[in-house]
Every structure is written in structure tokens, then in C-alpha cells.
Amino acid sequence: MSETLRTTMEFFLDDCSMEVISERQGINVATVKSRLHAARKLVVECGRKGVPNHV
């Protein structure tokens, strides 16, 4: 997982709203949503393949 996806996911898991994440990262909310979607997809794929999520 890329650093940008990881950072966005970490903010989200720390209970930051999408608006707060967008402000902290200097991106718009639509980009936050896209990054969260991509990160979740990677986590699910890794889980199905039995690959550790930290890859």
C-alpha cells in the first residue's frame, strides 16, 4: 500500500472525518473518498490472498 493511501487510512481509523482528512492532507473530499476506497480494496484483496496487510 502506498504511503498516501496508508496515511489517509490511518487518519480515518483515528476517527477523523473526511473533511478533516482533506484539510490535513491538502486534498479535496472526493480524493479522500477515492483513497479510502482504494485502501479498503487492497486490504480485502490481501485478506483473500492471505498476504499480510502491511505489504
Side-chain angles (χ1 to χ4, degrees), residues 17-39:
S17 68
M18 290 191 196
E19 291 78 15
V20 169
I21 296 169
S22 72
E23 290 173 11
R24 288 184 181 178
Q25 293 190 302
I27 57 177
N28 62 43
V29 174
T31 303
V32 173
K33 291 179 182 180
S34 294
R35 287 181 181 179
L36 289 173
H37 177 77

